[in-house]
């Protein structure tokens, strides 16, 4: 992907910062939807392109395409369609390794805690390769909770841990909104940053969801003087909303609740 796709895209910054070209941000750049469309087209070509690493003992001189190799394995082995469980979705989330302290878990200046962490506080996780740190998975688009893998239990399980200040937030938001709020309050407390991050999202829910509705009373007077801003189509409401079913604090993921896509 790096050598056959990314390096030919306008605005490619190189494999590292020291190889970044000059003035790339001033050149023609693709938007994320456009880049996604280009990648989708390239994947179709890649799946039907012979790959030197895809060989077969019966035809050692021939290189197969990914689609051809998949079809061969499917005919010989078959498949059993199995839907993902809640734990499978958590497994696919980004991970980080850190300690569980007396106050809980600190992640990007946020505190997560739950009563189920009590026997794990300041304890060795049992994973020597990670120096006893605990495996924690998080959703970049929903900062309301994280998941801790408890390998010491039999069988191993996921513990859902809620954000300590979740009660201050009426609508979900992700890391981007949190980072923006931190820039506004670089020396602010966790409570102040939480209120600042939740304010834009909460204001969005108070605005009308139809173009014909009245203007928001909080709109400045200089904008109210121009009624055209009320005719804009309403944006998507909480596109990254996550269902709270099966994710409440102290319960195992996927226990009696359907899992939604990540």
């Amino acid at each position: 992907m790096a050598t056959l796709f990314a390096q030919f895209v306008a605005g490619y910054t190189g494999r590292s910062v020291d190889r970044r070209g000059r003035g790339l941000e001033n050149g023609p750049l693709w938007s994320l939807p456009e880049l996604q469309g280009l990648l989708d087209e390239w994947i179709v070509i890649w799946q039907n392109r012979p790959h030197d690493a895809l060989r077969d003992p019966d035809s050692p001189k021939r290189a197969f395409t990914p689609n051809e190799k998949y079809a061969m394995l499917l005919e010989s082995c078959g498949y059993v369609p199995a839907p993902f469980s809640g734990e499978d979705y958590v497994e696919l989330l980004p991970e980080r390794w850190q300690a569980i302290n007396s106050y809980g878990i600190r992640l990007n200046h946020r505190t997560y805690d739950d009563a189920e962490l009590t026997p794990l506080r300041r304890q060795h996780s049992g994973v020597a390769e990670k120096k006893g740190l605990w495996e924690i998975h998080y959703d970049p688009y929903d900062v309301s909770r994280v998941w801790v893998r408890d390998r010491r239990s039999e069988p191993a399980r996921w513990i859902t841990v809620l954000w300590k200040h979740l009660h201050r937030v009426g609508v979900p938001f992700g890391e981007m909104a949190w980072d923006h709020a931190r820039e506004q309050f670089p020396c602010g407390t966790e409570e102040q940053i939480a209120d600042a991050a939740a304010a834009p999202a909460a204001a969005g829910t108070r605005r009308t969801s139809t173009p014909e509705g009245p203007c928001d009373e909080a709109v400045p007077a200089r904008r109210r003087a121009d009624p055209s801003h009320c005719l804009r189509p309403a944006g998507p409401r909480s596109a990254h909303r996550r269902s709270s079913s099966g994710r409440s604090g102290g319960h195992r993921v996927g226990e009696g609740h359907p899992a939604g896509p990540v």
Side-chain angles (χ1 to χ4, degrees), residues 9 56 61 69 94 115 128 130 168 186 200 217 223 238 241 250-251:
V9 177
D56 189 271
K61 296 183 178 181
K69 199 62 177 178
K130 297 294 182 177
R168 307 177 70 94
E217 295 180 357
R223 292 186 57 196
S238 302
R241 182 180 296 276
H251 294 281

Side-chain angles (χ1 to χ4, degrees), residues 80-116:
V80 177
F84 279 175
S85 66
E87 293 186 355
D88 293 329
Y89 283 108
V90 173
E91 191 81 42
L92 295 172
L93 291 174
E95 69 175 41
R96 59 184 298 163
W97 295 78
Q98 60 186 75
I100 300 177
N101 295 299
S102 57
Y103 53 79
I105 301 167
R106 290 283 289 176
L107 176 62
N108 196 14
H109 297 271
R110 296 185 303 273
T111 305
Y112 296 84
D113 197 15
D114 190 88
E116 284 209 40

